[in-house]
Amino acid sequence: MQAPWIPFIPPSASTLSDKVDALYFYLSGVTLFFALLISVVIIFFVIKYRRRSPYEIPRPVAGSHKLETLWSVIPFIIAMTMFFWGAQVYFQMYRTPDNAVEVYVVGKQWMWKMQHSTGQREINQLHVPAGRRVKLIMTSEDVIHDLFLPAFRIKSDVLPGRYTTQWFEATKPGTYHLFCAEYCGMNHSGMIGSVTVMNATEFDDWLAGNAAQQSPIVAGQQLYDSLGCASCHGGRGEGGRGPGIVGLFGRQVQLTNGQTVHADEGYIRESIENPQAKVVACFSPIMPTFQGQVTPEQLIQIISYIKSLQAPGQQAPAASPQPAQRTQSLEQTGNPAVNR
Ligand code: CUA
């Protein structure tokens, strides 16, 4: 890896990292400039206006509106440039583009478990393609962790019972650090790993070469059957005593209390673990809780399966990097619901 021109600064390897750096250098530059200016002026005034004799009485000073206006307006303008520039970078970072490749991340004491949408699992390692957008959907099995990818300028808390997301587009092939950035117990400092950025074609080969594992969609479908979800939500998610789940993901859902919710990962997780919290309109609260019966990884698999159940003509929320492979692995299970 090429040494950076500033010591200790991480390499810049995502489409966002240069933007974050530019803002960071601007903030540092402004801070440094005013720190120096004020220090120099203080020293200058201390010398110039020092007391020359013990009996000296200083000249009275009346205020100056012109000066006060100036030193209020100029810092205001500078602060606003920081605000608008920062907000612009923030929105780019936290608004995930639609066509991102999804990777599930589960943190636990003390390791990172990753799973690609095609089923490949990795521990403390993440392989991603360069030049493609990658969305990380993250949760924790135990305590709060924090996924930190300094080369991509990405850092986000990973929380038990909740999903957080981050996205990036890596620009340069190479190997980069991956850290846990939240003190999470004795071996926190060992909760590290690496991100390998590969050329898109190499990545496709890598993904195809590791295709032995079951995709989260297939695993989720098996859980759907084995947990008895089908008895209420229908064998293919078409609904019954419980609401249908085909085309559920990303839709607005009407609740019995008159509110509507957006069906995202968090909503589906809550409906599985705490079904009484948000009951779908026109249905009775008969669903038992599955809290403690499914692990966070199994929850992710069930959510992947529900995501894959798209109504005819509906656009899938996230494109799989290799649709052909996904179809193939589903064909092996012979379920018609996900093959439409
Ligand atoms: Cu996980 Cu620190």
Side-chain angles (χ1 to χ4, degrees), residues 234-272:
R236 295 164 198 175
E238 70 276 13
R241 281 190 296 159
I245 52 168
V246 174
L248 168 67
F249 193 81
R251 203 174 65 191
Q252 295 294 327
V253 179
Q254 192 80 38
L255 304 178
T256 42
N257 64 9
Q259 292 177 329
T260 47
V261 285
H262 179 71
D264 57 5
E265 286 97 351
Y267 165 75
I268 295 172
R269 184 198 61 80
E270 187 184 47
S271 300
I272 294 168

Side-chain angles (χ1 to χ4, degrees), residues 134-146:
V134 178
K135 178 186 183 186
L136 305 174
I137 301 169
M138 305 177 287
T139 190
S140 166
E141 260 183 52
D142 36 45
V143 299
I144 300 175
H145 302 279
D146 188 305

Side-chain angles (χ1 to χ4, degrees), residues 145-209:
H145 302 279
D146 188 305
L147 187 77
F148 182 29
L149 305 174
F152 304 155
R153 310 295 187 265
I154 289 285
K155 186 164 172 286
S156 177
D157 271 0
V158 176
L159 307 159
R162 245 207 267 178
Y163 294 99
T164 47
T165 58
Q166 276 285 355
W167 79 275
F168 62 85
E169 183 180 331
T171 49
K172 281 181 235 165
T175 305
Y176 306 99
H177 287 297
L178 179 160
F179 295 115
C180 177
E182 178 77 50
Y183 182 67
C184 55
M186 192 174 70
N187 292 333
H188 155 73
S189 62
M191 199 169 161
I192 54 175
S194 59
V195 180
T196 306
V197 178
M198 308 164 100
N199 288 320
T201 47
E202 267 177 59
F203 176 76
D204 288 340
D205 289 345
W206 178 85
L207 211 56

Side-chain angles (χ1 to χ4, degrees), residues 95-158:
R95 205 179 283 148
T96 311
D98 290 334
N99 52 352
V101 174
E102 290 185 352
V103 178
Y104 292 100
V105 178
V106 178
K108 69 173 269 194
Q109 289 170 319
W110 287 275
M111 64 168 84
W112 292 106
K113 298 192 277 187
M114 323 282 185
Q115 189 169 25
H116 296 263
S117 57
T118 43
Q120 286 77 2
R121 290 171 183 282
E122 302 187 70
I123 287 180
N124 293 342
Q125 285 236 341
L126 178 61
H127 286 75
V128 290
R132 281 188 204 157
R133 289 156 180 170
V134 178
K135 178 186 183 186
L136 305 174
I137 301 169
M138 305 177 287
T139 190
S140 166
E141 260 183 52
D142 36 45
V143 299
I144 300 175
H145 302 279
D146 188 305
L147 187 77
F148 182 29
L149 305 174
F152 304 155
R153 310 295 187 265
I154 289 285
K155 186 164 172 286
S156 177
D157 271 0
V158 176

